[in-house]
Amino acid sequence: MTISFRSADLTALTTDLIAVPMFQDEKLFTAASAALKKDFGTAVAAALASKDFSGKEGETLMIYTGGVKASRLFLVGLGETKKFTLEKLRRSTATAAKKAKALKNKHLSISMPEVAEVLPEPIADVAAAMSEAALLSLYKYDKYLTVAKNGNTLSAIQFVSRSKFGAEITAGLKRGEAIAEATIHARDLSNAPGSEIYPETLANDAKKQGKRYGYSVTVFDRKRIASLRMGGVIGVSKGSEKDPRFIILEYGAQYKKHGTVALVGKGVTFDTGGISIKPSANMAEMKMDMAGAAAVIGTFNAVASLKLKQHLIGLIPSVENMPSGSAVKPGDIIRHYNGKTSEVDNTDAEGRLILADALSYAGRYKPELVIDLATLTGACVVALGHYTSGMMGNDQETMDALLRAGDRSYDRVWQLPMYDEYEKLIKSDVADVKNVGGRWAGAITAGWFLKKFIGDYKWVHLDIAGTAIQEENQDYIPRGGSGAGVRLLVEFLRNK
Ligand code: BES
Ligand code: MN
Ligand code: ZN
């Protein structure tokens, strides 16, 4: 797909469809309507006279111009300017892109909102939201489909404006494209079956991405992991025929002096639950239990392609959680990288066991901040559903910044409390900590478990169990892997 910017009048465009987002404010709507009538003539005048479309949010109107150059005008309502948000623009852009796809169009032109310069958001952000949403909305995981392929015939999307801020718009469109591409890679990794993505192949993908985007990737094999005494990674992987990997990504070493941020991603390539085996209903979803790892790789791709000035370390402990004669058992005690022990009361609480090693290993880099992303608990999905990731941590300022980045990118987070009272729920009689905390507050007790393994750095834990795995199709997020975390982290790091 090529994304481009063109400074032109709509009448100059030769294209299959011109999407025109319009505001409902009376003055703006009247002016925009008059311009369209003047440019496209009687068919448009008749369509607008029908009053079938008034620019309300969610409204659309297809008009066949009868002209030769651009045969279709597709009006999309943006609602009132005073209620404008980037998310509304993402959704209406997605509506337009999906319409062109459904019509099997090749070329789509999208007019920037007529008052883009005066919206409460910088024009580059307006452009970024548009290219991002257009690309994300066209996504379908179709690698293994032999007949019902994606069916996307669109090969070019052109954004059109007469604004004098062409340079800012072009930069914004590029940014949105990089973020969409990174999110799509994370979606692909999540949606891939466990037969394709297991620790070794996940590591190979990370290496490939590093080469492509320009960051370094180091992979530890089972022997190396064992010699480092990462008991959690070794323990959880024991029941599987697939060996574990510990994947280390590094970007921007030249920016070390501004501080290091480490991103830790849960890379369970399939989670059966192990000996504490899961019920079979919906177990297939657990091929996405490496969505945290996918978000880390995706974020690296975007950060490298945007050339952000930030030293970044990525740490991905990767295992397959299987039951077998060699599997870790309830009651077993694990010794983690930092020497602390944990009692495995339930082998299905495996994510925290491997993250414990990665979080303590992160200390080696003396990071100022560590953010971990993990499809960690069903309890978090019960608490927040599929539209918000759970957030916990030890630094309020960072969490506030992440909350803002979430609202802007619409890859949203909500903080859960880590009050001291929850800590005792994971007390063990025989080890330093127990890996489950009983029935209540499961997302928080998981957070508390992780907290026992952090080093001397600011830390935020994001539980993406609900957001990374979607059940319903949305405007620009289809059912399945969503790539949650990428848009959030890129927005956060850009403003850091
Ligand atoms: N990977 C799961 C969590 C999960 C559940 C992710 C649903 C996505 C959707 C995790 O490893 C797990 O099994 N957690 C257990 C913890 C429990 C045993 C304390 C859970 O949530 O049931
Ligand atoms: Mn599990
Ligand atoms: Zn899991």
Side-chain angles (χ1 to χ4, degrees):
M1 181 76 69
T2 51
I3 299 281
S4 61
F5 171 68
R6 187 156 165 210
S7 174
D9 292 323
L10 299 185
T11 47
L13 305 175
T14 304
T15 182
D16 298 315
L17 187 150
I18 304 177
V20 185
M22 284 168 74
F23 285 107
Q24 116 187 54
D25 316 41
E26 207 182 313
K27 256 186 158 169
L28 286 174
F29 187 81
T30 312
S33 302
L36 287 175
K37 283 183 215 163
K38 181 168 151 284
D39 287 348
F40 294 95
T42 49
V44 174
L48 287 167
S50 73
K51 305 263 186 232
D52 289 356
F53 177 82
S54 59
K56 283 204 193 91
E57 198 186 323
E59 263 183 12
T60 61
L61 182 70
M62 179 65 88
I63 306 173
Y64 292 87
T65 61
V68 270
K69 279 183 143 179
S71 49
R72 301 175 190 87
L73 275 185
F74 186 59
L75 312 186
V76 193
L78 283 177
E80 296 172 44
T81 43
K82 67 169 191 281
K83 291 187 182 159
F84 177 80
T85 63
L86 291 174
E87 179 62 8
K88 288 185 187 178
L89 188 57
R90 284 190 198 95
R91 291 181 187 188
S92 46
T93 309
T95 303
K98 283 158 117 176
K99 185 58 145 187
K101 174 179 168 178
L103 293 171
K104 304 230 171 291
N105 290 166
K106 284 202 182 69
H107 296 279
L108 165 65
S109 300
I110 304 180
S111 168
M112 306 272 303
E114 64 269 38
V115 291
E117 298 90 328
V118 298
L119 291 174
E121 307 289 350
I123 192 160
D125 291 2
V126 168
M130 292 182 84
S131 59
E132 171 187 291
L135 291 168
L136 288 178
S137 73
L138 300 170
Y139 176 81
K140 178 174 166 69
Y141 183 70
D142 66 355
K143 181 170 176 182
Y144 290 95
L145 295 174
T146 54
V147 277
K149 282 275 186 193
N150 188 342
N152 180 33
T153 54
L154 267 177
S155 61
I157 307 178
Q158 184 181 54
F159 291 84
V160 185
S161 165
R162 267 306 200 185
S163 160
K164 61 178 187 226
F165 298 102
E168 284 87 343
I169 295 174
T170 304
L173 293 174
K174 287 232 169 71
R175 189 214 306 165
E177 199 178 348
I179 293 171
E181 196 175 289
T183 304
I184 284 171
H185 186 68
R187 287 179 181 180
D188 278 341
L189 281 175
S190 297
N191 288 327
S195 58
E196 179 188 326
I197 292 292
Y198 45 90
E200 182 188 352
T201 54
L202 182 65
N204 289 342
D205 180 78
K207 284 189 205 156
K208 195 168 134 192
Q209 300 305 312
K211 277 216 183 76
R212 177 161 173 208
Y213 288 93
Y215 54 86
S216 69
V217 176
T218 309
V219 178
F220 295 164
D221 63 5
R222 193 182 56 77
K223 261 181 133 170
R224 185 80 192 269
I225 295 168
S227 74
L228 286 167
R229 298 171 177 268
M230 293 185 170
V233 179
I234 293 295
V236 177
S237 71
K238 277 198 318 180
S240 171
E241 308 228 323
K242 306 286 191 205
D243 271 354
R245 292 289 187 275
F246 192 86
I247 310 166
I248 302 175
L249 296 70
E250 181 165 16
Y251 165 81
Q254 68 269 38
Y255 307 120
K256 239 181 222 168
K257 53 182 178 297
H258 312 309
T260 299
V261 174
L263 304 177
V264 176
K266 172 178 172 182
V268 177
T269 58
F270 196 85
D271 181 13
T272 64
I275 296 299
S276 315
I277 199 161
K278 289 181 181 293
S280 42
N282 302 321
M283 201 204 273
E285 275 188 1
M286 288 300 117
K287 69 177 183 179
M288 296 186 262
D289 210 17
M290 32 54 71
V296 170
I297 294 171
T299 301
F300 267 73
N301 288 359
V303 165
S305 82
L306 297 172
K307 300 192 165 56
L308 297 191
K309 293 188 171 60
Q310 171 69 55
H311 183 220
L312 262 193
I313 295 290
L315 300 174
I316 299 173
S318 183
V319 299
E320 185 181 65
N321 186 22
M322 295 287 277
S324 83
S326 59
V328 69
K329 298 172 292 294
D332 285 356
I333 296 172
I334 282 174
R335 189 178 297 278
H336 293 278
Y337 177 77
N338 65 353
K340 282 194 185 171
T341 58
S342 68
E343 178 191 359
V344 182
D345 198 38
N346 187 320
T347 65
D348 197 10
E350 83 297 341
R352 64 197 77 180
L353 297 175
I354 66 171
L355 290 169
D357 289 331
L359 286 170
S360 45
Y361 190 79
R364 287 176 71 131
Y365 297 92
K366 307 223 174 308
E368 56 161 315
L369 167 66
V370 177
I371 302 176
D372 75 75
L373 298 99
T375 46
L376 204 61
T377 68
C380 189
V381 192
V382 172
L384 298 173
H386 290 281
Y387 309 123
T388 318
S389 300
M391 174 168 70
M392 285 150 264
N394 63 7
D395 185 68
Q396 196 56 45
E397 212 180 301
T398 305
M399 288 190 283
D400 290 345
L402 280 160
L403 181 74
R404 284 194 301 275
D407 286 343
R408 281 188 68 74
S409 62
Y410 226 68
D411 188 354
R412 293 171 298 177
V413 299
W414 194 255
Q415 188 177 345
L416 301 175
M418 285 199 92
Y419 298 133
D420 291 343
E421 284 84 348
Y422 296 102
E423 183 181 5
K424 62 178 181 297
L425 302 177
I426 51 169
K427 262 197 158 151
S428 165
D429 293 334
V430 291
D432 296 334
V433 64
K434 192 170 64 171
N435 81 329
V436 292
R439 180 145 181 223
W440 311 118
I444 299 172
T445 50
W448 257 109
F449 181 96
L450 298 180
K451 194 173 177 183
K452 302 258 174 198
F453 294 90
I454 65 173
D456 181 22
Y457 47 67
K458 294 189 260 179
W459 161 73
V460 178
H461 158 57
L462 299 172
D463 192 331
I464 59 171
T467 48
I469 306 172
Q470 293 293 331
E471 290 179 340
E472 292 166 18
N473 288 317
Q474 293 156 61
D475 298 74
Y476 55 88
I477 307 178
R479 191 178 137 75
S482 67
V486 176
R487 294 192 293 133
L488 168 74
L489 290 177
V490 175
E491 180 64 19
F492 169 77
L493 291 169
R494 267 187 355 99
N495 296 302
K496 206 186 149 281

